[in-house]
Amino acid sequence: MEREIVLARGYDGCIFGFDITSWEKEAAKHLETPVTDQVGREVRRYLFAGAEKVELDKLGRILLPQALKGYAHIERDAKVVGAGDHFEIWDRNLWEEYTTRLGKV
């Protein structure tokens, strides 16, 4: 079992989580965009500047970095959501509001 994952600022106010292999693939996709492309630079800065490796403890738990907890407004209850090649960590109340707007995912 891998002992590290990468957490990064996600979209819509959540935290993205990647295993190392998936993170490397995601990073490679963004690095293919030419540095001369303004939107590409902005996405890189957004994603990479907020990314942190975290270590899983013996029970597979992690501590969320304070900066990412603040970004996602997670104070007490979190919701982990599978999202294909990554997972997302949401403040439980924000997730409920989000799914209500979408019509209950």
Side-chain angles (χ1 to χ4, degrees), residues 76-87:
R76 184 170 171 88
D77 294 328
K79 172 79 173 173
V80 178
V81 179
D85 64 349
H86 68 285
F87 61 91

Side-chain angles (χ1 to χ4, degrees), residues 66-83:
Q66 193 61 42
L68 289 172
K69 280 177 60 175
Y71 166 77
H73 305 288
I74 298 171
E75 294 182 18
R76 184 170 171 88
D77 294 328
K79 172 79 173 173
V80 178
V81 179

Side-chain angles (χ1 to χ4, degrees), residues 10-12 14-18 78-83 86-90 95 98:
Y11 301 116
D12 303 311
C14 72
I15 299 168
F16 285 169
F18 297 89
K79 172 79 173 173
V80 178
V81 179
H86 68 285
F87 61 91
E88 298 177 350
I89 304 169
W90 288 77
W95 173 252
Y98 180 76

Side-chain angles (χ1 to χ4, degrees), residues 3-57:
R3 301 305 311 166
E4 286 185 324
I5 61 172
V6 176
L7 299 177
R9 287 180 295 197
Y11 301 116
D12 303 311
C14 72
I15 299 168
F16 285 169
F18 297 89
D19 63 50
I20 298 298
T21 302
S22 296
W23 173 253
E24 289 170 352
K25 289 178 185 175
E26 184 69 20
K29 285 191 283 187
H30 293 288
L31 293 173
E32 289 175 5
T33 306
V35 73
T36 55
D37 180 88
Q38 181 179 349
V39 172
R41 285 193 313 271
E42 290 171 356
V43 171
R44 282 186 197 183
R45 289 175 185 142
Y46 178 82
L47 190 63
F48 296 143
E52 292 190 47
K53 278 186 181 179
V54 296
E55 194 169 320
L56 283 75
D57 71 9

